[in-house]
Amino acid sequence: MTLLRYIPLLPLAACAINMFFGARLGKKSAGLLACAAVGASFAIALYVFMLLPATGLFRDTLYTWLESGAFRVNVSFQVDALTAVMLLVVTGIGFLIHIYSLGYMDHDEGMVRFFVYLNLFVFFMLLLVMGDSLLLLFVGWEGVGLCSYLLIGFWYQDHNNTIAGNKAFIVNRIGDFGFVLGILLLVTELGRQGFWTLDFAELQKHVNLLSPSTVTAITLLLFVGATGKSAQIPLFVWLPDAMAGPTPVSALIHAATMVTAGVYMTARLHFLFALAPVTLALIAAIGTATAFFAATIALTQTDIKRVLAYSTVSQLGYMFLAVGVGAFGAAIFHLFTHAFFKACLFLGSGSVIHAMGGEQDMRKMGGLKSHMPATYWTYVIATLAIAGAPLTAGFFSKDLILWQAYSSAHGSQGLWLIAWLTAGMTAFYMFRQLFMVFHGGSRADPHAQAHLHESPAVMTVPLMILAVGSIFSGWLGAPAYLWGSRWDHWLGPVFGGAHDAHHGAVQTEINLMLLTLVIVAAGIGLAYLKFGRPGAAVDQGAGTGGILYRISLNKYYVDEIYDWLLVRPFTAISDWLAWVFDLAVIDGIVNGVAGGARAMSSIWRALQTGNVQHYVMGFLAGTLALLAYYLGQP
Amino acid sequence: MSLFALGELTLLLAIPVIGAVLLLFVPRRQTQALFSLALLASAVTFLWSLKVFNLFDGANGEMQLLELIPWMPAFGIEYLIGIDGISLFLVLLTTLLMPLAILASWSVKDRVKEYLIFMLLLETGMLGAFVALDLFLFYVFWEVMLVPMYFLIGVWGGARRVYAALKFVIYTMAGSLLMLVAIIYLATRYAQETQVLTFDLLRIYALQLPFEQQSWLFFAFALSFAIKVPLFPFHTWLPDAHVEAPTAGSVILAGVLLKLGTYGFLRFAIPLFPDAALAAAPLFVALAVVGIIYGAVVAMMQTDIKKLVAYSSVSHLGFVMLGLFALNVQGIQGAIYQMLNHGLSTGALFLLVGMIYDRRHSRLIADFGGLWKQVPLFSALLLAVTFSSIGLPGLNGFIGEFLILLGAFSVTPLWTAAAATGVVLGAIYMLWMIRRVIFGPLNQPENQKLTDLNGREILILAPILALIVLMGVYPQPFLDRMKPSVDLTLKKVFAAQAVAIHRPDNGADR
């Protein structure tokens, strides 16, 4: 199906046009072109989605990319049910965020550059989800990392932004180190069995040739890559800093799409991960730990975007919990709903920051409700959704994960308990944010207050669409005791019914759901009491609260620990090698040999005329003498 | 046989020399004419190399366009040249980089005539070394190259140019002396066996030597090549030479000269002494991997951008060596590809550093910052080349690195895993440099007056950038033409081991 190639190529073409001619086109045309390209991709994706049969697969092969010996990889795209979901998220939400950016970046002199990067990102993200081999996925994987780096450091004149960009790229590369080794191990081990391939369909056919320990090693290495890209323990540290980028970037790349690539990768290779129970157990443990740990940090943050960043880390943890218990469909479902409400929250925060003239500190906000009703109401809906209020999208997808964590063959009550506690914390910190930003009296300085305004329609309309999605996107995956899941029908064939989790009693499922509602309600109630009721005190951040509060506020000092444990020793060693070892030892020996030769021979010294011609003459004479000697021998 | 009944390759070697001779007749004051003539000569050489490329049969792994003229018949020394899928692209790289390097030499004001003559003679020397198939002829070209390079560094270089030039020449010569002894010994051994005195490489390939002799000869060749590469720990001449060399000198040095070392391994040391090469492979893999990591770690701390790029070359050529000594088709194809990549991306880096040096008269990272604001085009190109250098998929560097890692992983997974850390380290030192040079506030007054790249400079960089993208997106036309020759080389290595040894061949014959 040759239509497929246009889905990624249109944004790439727009990127190229704006790169070379953007300055001549002007900000407005360049922005519109960028939006039109992604919009067209979305339209094609939608068309392909309609045509796609239940268990079918479309493929579009362009050419042989890389062939060496028996190893061969094509540039080839595929769309199955899983990719179709990702396509709609990337192009659909990507389109809305492009539109929003027209308004948000309107006053920025770098707007053309912004859209060049953004289109390039969409291209690489589409390559990632459409590539029909693991290597092509990896190309997209690295490419989105590049765009993330460029966009985090978009406002490059501030050192903090570019430091955050470097951190993101390098931490991701550390993860990719594992990813690359995983690919190499996979391809060489299968190669030993006679199959030099990274094509997903071929891999699925032949993975049973691999020994269990090999599969465990491969999946562990690939998961290292996922912890980088999807910000899981221990490589999550880059994502909160990545908020230095413009807010639409945070919404698109660092919430809705790129950071979910790790989840997509594991789901795409479900047939491999399913064979590695040890890896799955580790993924579940790391996912749950990350979800919990990030939520405890989010409780005390005062920067509006940082709260959302830690909440993203936490929600990604939920997705990996689902992956770890073998519920790939549930993971992708949460990825899907999360894309709506988290994009809505980020864009809403962007609208707030825009209105506040760049202020991101929630302690200086408050009372924005009346100034920006559209932003407020969409924010309320998205907050309810992420907290898991009944009948919102988050309610369905999070509950499914909790239920799978409890009932799946790989699940346990311990996993459920931690995920359940995390749900309560999520409700608390999100409503704390809602109250601090929109309710109570305004704490902004008079100058900022005078400029408060609702954002233009080009920004609020995308918010409204996303708010609608924050409710209804979840209805596709309702549990059996309500109206049943269309989601399972859709993705079931891809995952081969690997997750038959409904062996628990329906009554248990309902009871657990009610328990979750209780803790969510408790979280919301507590947030209201502390921050929402009239006359509540404002969270002042530093200097208040006990030791736990300070640990949370300082993010467990993870950055500082990494700095002392890794960065400083590495820098010290590097410094010593460069300025002591290389100069004094290695080059010292070289110069020493030269000096020694000079000192030892007085004849040599006599020949030291400093005249290069003399040296060359001597050299030639010696050569000829040697030649004559050898050739003269019988 | 074409013009003057000379072969295509001979003409390729002759055009730069003809250019150099013609330069002698141009008055030294007319620098414009001198530059134009040199540029013309190197451009014609490039066009002629495209004709060679066109004549080349990519499906044939044997030597092509062979030319044989007896030179010193008494000693069995011949003028024997030819080209195969291994040397083809290295020749093209040389002919491409030379006009660009000359075009980048506009800022040379002193003794322009001599400078350009040396550049053209250097080109012939390098091309000759790539196409020579007579061992003695190869040695002559190998040494001839040193002379113009010595003067380019020693006369047109920076403050410590004499020290750097002498170090470069003496270090390289010291290494190649043993090679000369080994070459002569090889020829005499061949004469003993067959009663034919010859330095013909293609015939000497057939010579089967006992393991001990192979080992001595292998190390004599290997030492000379290892210094040239440079393989850790023989690398310390390189940072000195690069820092002192003029821009074009650095471009040619990094872009082409270093490749002669790795090419030497692939053309001579490995196939001539296969048993010794196989036995020594673990040692060379280890040194290569140490070099990858060491070069990267040391590069990180450099304060001079040129020195940083020089140490990054140590790291990148470590990858090439790793691929070569994987001794399978992926590793060697990746290694050749990586030689081309390094020539392009490091060549471009030196060009860019030279362009900013011409304006700012500094190469210290600390003297820059925030350049994107002032010179966006320069900054964007520097960024693009950086990502080529650190192997971003979609650009050329990734193809080479991935094939090398793939080839090496099936032979020695643990060393390969160590080598793969180079991918992380590369990002660290390059992006740190980028951050300090083009990002941040533009607060140094000297930098606020910089002007962006001019038309000539864009013309220099455009073809390199186009190739960086093309070779990343569509590598197959390159790899296809290399493959038959690589297979043939591997066959030479493993023919000696006719007894089946369990060694992954990575499907080379499939």
Side-chain angles (χ1 to χ4, degrees):
Chain A
M1 194 182 189
T2 56
L3 196 56
L4 296 190
R5 68 186 61 172
Y6 296 105
I7 301 177
L9 288 184
L10 284 174
L12 182 67
C15 164
I17 293 171
N18 279 338
M19 194 187 324
F20 291 112
F21 309 108
R24 223 168 297 165
L25 285 173
K27 274 159 56 170
K28 195 130 214 151
S29 317
L32 286 175
L33 176 69
C35 293
V38 180
S41 287
F42 177 57
I44 300 174
L46 212 55
Y47 177 68
V48 170
F49 174 79
M50 311 272 214
L51 291 181
L52 193 69
T55 55
L57 179 114
F58 291 136
R59 201 186 271 254
D60 180 8
T61 304
L62 273 72
Y63 59 93
T64 301
W65 181 39
L66 187 54
E67 184 177 5
S68 179
F71 177 75
R72 178 192 176 129
V73 173
N74 290 329
V75 173
S76 175
F77 304 114
Q78 68 166 35
V79 175
D80 64 352
L82 172 60
T83 293
V85 171
M86 298 301 294
L87 270 187
L88 293 180
V89 170
V90 174
T91 55
I93 294 186
F95 178 57
L96 291 176
I97 294 174
H98 270 68
I99 299 282
Y100 176 96
S101 304
L102 283 179
Y104 192 85
M105 300 301 290
D106 191 30
H107 304 299
D108 199 295
E109 57 171 344
M111 182 165 158
V112 175
R113 188 164 55 93
F114 179 82
F115 277 108
V116 166
Y117 293 167
L118 214 56
N119 270 344
L120 189 65
F121 167 78
V122 171
F123 163 72
F124 277 123
M125 193 68 208
L126 290 169
L127 202 60
L128 196 163
V129 299
M130 293 178 74
D132 78 347
S133 70
L134 191 55
L135 201 63
L136 219 50
L137 184 154
F138 183 69
V139 176
W141 182 278
E142 287 273 293
V144 291
L146 163 74
C147 300
S148 165
Y149 159 84
L150 293 171
L151 284 160
I152 293 169
F154 179 75
W155 288 308
Y156 57 85
Q157 296 198 52
D158 185 340
H159 271 309
N160 291 329
N161 299 345
T162 52
I163 288 173
N166 273 14
K167 185 172 173 184
F169 196 85
I170 289 163
V171 171
N172 268 294
R173 272 260 159 146
I174 293 171
D176 294 344
F177 167 69
F179 199 145
V180 167
L181 291 185
I183 293 177
L184 293 175
L185 188 58
L186 177 60
V187 77
T188 51
E189 285 296 319
L190 267 184
R192 263 180 238 291
Q193 313 285 340
F195 299 100
W196 287 90
T197 184
L198 281 170
D199 182 285
F200 292 125
E202 291 285 307
L203 287 178
Q204 187 156 12
K205 253 187 262 169
H206 302 304
V207 279
N208 51 354
L209 295 172
L210 299 172
S211 73
S213 59
T214 309
V215 175
T216 304
I218 293 169
T219 48
L220 282 175
L221 287 167
L222 293 176
F223 181 62
V224 171
T227 60
K229 192 63 73 193
S230 294
Q232 297 295 291
I233 293 172
L235 297 181
F236 67 96
V237 289
W238 65 272
L239 184 59
D241 291 14
M243 297 302 127
T247 304
V249 169
S250 312
L252 179 61
I253 302 184
H254 303 122
T257 56
M258 182 188 85
V259 289
T260 63
V263 181
Y264 169 76
M265 187 268 290
T266 51
R268 176 52 75 202
L269 293 174
H270 64 93
F271 50 84
L272 199 62
F273 283 85
L275 296 178
V278 177
T279 311
L280 284 185
L282 183 82
I283 294 177
I286 288 202
T288 312
T290 308
F292 181 83
F293 175 81
T296 60
I297 297 177
L299 295 175
T300 57
Q301 298 304 306
T302 52
D303 181 309
I304 185 171
K305 284 179 74 180
R306 280 202 173 246
V307 174
L308 294 177
Y310 280 105
S311 124
T312 304
V313 174
S314 177
Q315 297 299 311
L316 290 165
Y318 271 111
M319 295 176 210
F320 279 108
L321 164 59
V323 166
V325 299
F328 297 102
I332 297 296
F333 184 36
H334 196 54
L335 185 163
F336 181 69
T337 61
H338 176 256
F340 286 96
F341 54 72
K342 187 52 67 63
C344 186
L345 288 169
F346 264 118
L347 294 186
S349 78
S351 178
V352 167
I353 294 166
H354 205 241
M356 298 284 300
E359 183 60 66
Q360 295 188 195
D361 190 338
M362 299 193 295
R363 288 168 298 184
K364 297 188 181 147
M365 297 178 179
L368 292 179
K369 187 169 91 167
S370 53
H371 295 283
M372 27 194 349
T375 303
Y376 171 68
W377 284 109
T378 53
Y379 213 86
V380 167
I381 291 170
T383 302
L384 283 167
I386 192 174
L391 300 184
T392 61
F395 166 78
F396 293 108
S397 59
K398 194 187 290 178
D399 242 39
L400 182 60
I401 291 177
L402 283 168
W403 169 237
Q404 297 280 1
Y406 184 88
S407 68
S408 147
H410 300 284
S412 70
Q413 295 178 354
L415 291 175
W416 175 83
L417 184 69
I418 300 171
W420 178 74
L421 282 171
T422 306
M425 285 193 285
T426 308
F428 174 81
Y429 68 70
M430 285 310 300
F431 273 85
R432 167 179 175 268
Q433 181 180 55
L434 187 75
F435 292 135
M436 281 178 81
V437 173
F438 291 101
H439 289 246
S442 173
R443 298 178 295 276
D445 59 66
H447 178 74
Q449 255 181 27
H451 284 81
L452 284 178
H453 59 277
E454 178 61 285
S455 299
V458 70
M459 289 166 70
T460 53
V461 170
L463 281 177
M464 291 170 198
I465 299 173
L466 288 169
V468 170
S470 301
I471 295 175
F472 295 105
S473 65
W475 291 28
L476 296 168
Y481 61 82
L482 290 174
W483 54 82
S485 173
R486 291 178 57 94
W487 197 262
D488 281 351
H489 286 289
W490 176 245
L491 281 181
V494 176
F495 300 124
H499 62 306
D500 178 34
H502 296 292
H503 48 70
V506 172
Q507 194 52 48
T508 321
E509 191 178 354
I510 295 175
N511 289 344
L512 288 178
M513 181 270 287
L514 293 173
L515 270 178
T516 308
L517 286 184
V518 168
I519 198 167
V520 166
I524 297 174
L526 197 61
Y528 177 77
L529 285 177
K530 281 212 73 164
F531 308 105
R533 74 194 151 78
V538 178
D539 194 337
Q540 281 308 331
T544 61
I547 182 153
L548 286 178
Y549 183 93
R550 261 177 287 138
I551 288 178
S552 162
L553 186 69
N554 290 297
K555 311 146 206 157
Y556 294 83
Y557 301 95
V558 174
D559 278 326
E560 287 78 3
I561 293 169
Y562 282 3
D563 189 45
W564 279 99
L565 234 52
L566 302 171
V567 179
R568 281 163 196 263
F570 178 70
T571 316
I573 291 170
S574 171
D575 206 47
W576 182 80
L577 282 178
W579 298 116
V580 180
F581 185 75
D582 201 60
L583 295 184
V585 181
I586 297 193
D587 205 29
I589 290 171
V590 172
N591 287 333
V593 169
R598 188 162 28 192
M600 264 156 52
S601 165
S602 57
I603 303 164
W604 176 244
R605 199 172 302 144
L607 289 172
Q608 283 262 304
T609 56
N611 191 332
V612 178
Q613 282 93 322
H614 290 182
Y615 298 158
V616 174
M617 282 303 292
F619 177 75
L620 270 178
T623 307
L624 290 175
L626 270 172
L627 196 65
Y629 174 76
Y630 273 102
L631 296 179
Q633 286 198 331
Chain B
M1 291 288 159
S2 59
L3 242 46
F4 313 116
L6 288 175
E8 283 79 10
L9 290 179
T10 298
L11 259 173
L12 191 70
L13 299 181
I15 298 168
V17 178
I18 295 169
V21 170
L22 289 178
L23 278 176
L24 287 173
F25 297 101
V26 180
R28 59 173 56 251
R29 293 256 187 82
Q30 298 184 14
T31 53
Q32 201 60 43
L34 289 165
F35 271 118
S36 309
L37 183 58
L39 189 59
L40 183 72
S42 59
V44 171
T45 313
F46 174 64
L47 291 177
W48 193 256
S49 72
L50 288 183
K51 181 182 162 80
V52 169
F53 177 77
N54 215 22
L55 289 171
F56 184 83
D57 173 13
N60 180 357
E62 303 281 348
M63 281 295 165
Q64 303 181 28
L65 305 177
L66 281 168
E67 291 175 50
L68 175 83
I69 302 170
W71 181 18
M72 294 185 245
F75 299 121
I77 294 171
E78 294 158 339
Y79 172 83
L80 173 64
I81 56 175
I83 197 165
D84 72 349
I86 293 169
S87 48
L88 175 69
F89 290 105
L90 292 166
V91 164
L92 285 169
L93 178 71
T94 309
T95 56
L96 172 71
L97 284 181
M98 188 52 81
L100 302 181
I102 289 176
L103 204 51
S105 303
W106 249 232
S107 59
V108 172
K109 297 277 182 281
D110 184 35
R111 299 185 222 201
V112 173
K113 188 167 170 175
E114 289 82 354
Y115 176 91
L116 293 170
I117 290 174
F118 282 131
M119 287 289 278
L120 290 174
L121 293 180
L122 181 60
E123 179 166 24
T124 295
M126 295 185 301
L127 291 174
F130 282 130
V131 297
L133 295 176
D134 178 284
L135 284 167
F136 191 83
L137 184 67
F138 168 74
Y139 187 78
V140 169
F141 279 122
W142 175 269
E143 294 292 329
V144 157
M145 276 181 320
L146 289 180
V147 179
M149 200 62 197
Y150 168 81
F151 284 108
L152 285 172
I153 299 175
V155 176
W156 291 273
R160 293 174 72 222
R161 56 182 180 265
V162 176
Y163 168 78
L166 265 181
K167 190 170 180 176
F168 163 72
V169 167
I170 291 178
Y171 209 153
T172 318
M173 275 197 174
S176 44
L177 270 179
L178 281 175
M179 179 166 74
L180 179 63
V181 176
I183 287 174
I184 294 167
Y185 181 82
L186 254 185
T188 50
R189 267 307 305 263
Y190 187 82
Q192 277 172 13
E193 302 261 331
T194 63
Q195 315 309 318
V196 180
L197 181 60
T198 181
F199 285 83
D200 181 342
L201 175 69
L202 303 179
R203 281 198 265 180
I204 293 179
Y205 272 145
L207 186 65
Q208 302 224 352
L209 293 171
F211 181 76
E212 197 178 330
Q213 288 190 17
Q214 279 197 28
S215 303
W216 285 109
L217 294 168
F218 175 78
F219 274 100
F221 273 82
L223 179 68
S224 151
F225 296 142
I227 291 171
K228 199 79 154 189
V229 169
L231 188 66
F232 175 90
F234 305 111
H235 62 272
T236 51
W237 64 267
L238 185 70
D240 285 329
H242 270 313
V243 168
E244 301 308 329
T247 297
S250 287
V251 172
I252 298 299
L253 186 60
V256 184
L257 243 64
L258 306 188
K259 309 312 177 297
L260 276 153
T262 45
Y263 170 80
F265 275 102
L266 185 53
R267 175 73 77 220
F268 302 99
I270 292 173
L272 278 173
F273 319 109
D275 302 321
L278 275 171
L283 171 68
F284 280 86
V285 164
L287 287 178
V289 172
V290 170
I292 291 171
I293 297 170
Y294 183 86
V297 170
V298 173
M300 197 174 89
M301 282 298 143
Q302 299 307 316
T303 51
D304 181 318
I305 306 177
K306 257 192 156 180
K307 247 187 171 160
L308 183 147
V309 180
Y311 278 106
S312 86
S313 295
V314 175
S315 187
H316 285 166
L317 284 149
F319 269 106
V320 177
M321 290 300 286
L322 176 64
L324 290 180
F325 278 92
L327 290 168
N328 54 34
V329 66
Q330 286 93 359
I332 293 181
Q333 271 193 305
I336 302 171
Y337 213 79
Q338 191 68 358
M339 292 185 213
L340 306 178
N341 293 337
H342 180 261
L344 293 172
S345 63
T346 306
L349 281 174
F350 279 126
L351 286 167
L352 283 158
V353 175
M355 289 168 187
I356 206 72
Y357 181 83
D358 285 346
R359 293 160 165 75
R360 179 67 170 78
H361 301 291
S362 170
R363 290 184 309 252
L364 294 182
I365 295 174
D367 283 344
F368 297 103
L371 291 193
W372 192 301
K373 178 101 188 125
Q374 184 68 21
V375 284
L377 185 59
F378 168 85
S379 306
L381 294 184
L382 183 63
L383 193 63
V385 175
T386 293
F387 276 98
S388 153
S389 165
I390 62 181
L392 186 84
L395 301 179
N396 58 348
F398 176 72
I399 305 286
E401 267 180 21
F402 183 76
L403 285 178
I404 289 168
L405 291 174
L406 183 60
F409 193 85
S410 59
V411 182
T412 167
L414 289 180
W415 280 108
T416 310
T421 60
V423 174
V424 179
L425 298 172
I428 293 177
Y429 68 79
M430 286 306 282
L431 292 186
W432 194 30
M433 181 273 285
I434 283 288
R435 189 172 75 66
R436 287 175 295 166
V437 171
I438 65 175
F439 294 141
L442 178 74
N443 46 20
Q444 301 202 25
E446 294 93 329
N447 294 334
Q448 289 164 0
K449 290 179 299 223
L450 295 177
T451 51
D452 213 340
L453 301 183
N454 59 35
R456 175 180 59 86
E457 290 164 328
I458 295 170
L459 188 68
I460 295 171
L461 293 166
I464 299 184
L465 278 149
L467 277 172
I468 281 175
V469 175
L470 177 75
M471 289 179 68
V473 176
Y474 192 39
Q476 233 20 71
F478 300 85
L479 292 172
D480 283 341
R481 288 178 173 79
M482 293 171 193
K483 176 130 193 315
S485 300
V486 172
D487 284 343
L488 217 63
T489 304
L490 281 170
K491 229 175 178 170
K492 285 194 193 93
V493 175
F494 291 103
Q497 272 80 27
V499 213
I501 296 175
H502 286 294
R503 187 182 177 80
D505 68 344
N506 288 19
D509 303 323
R510 231 174 282 132

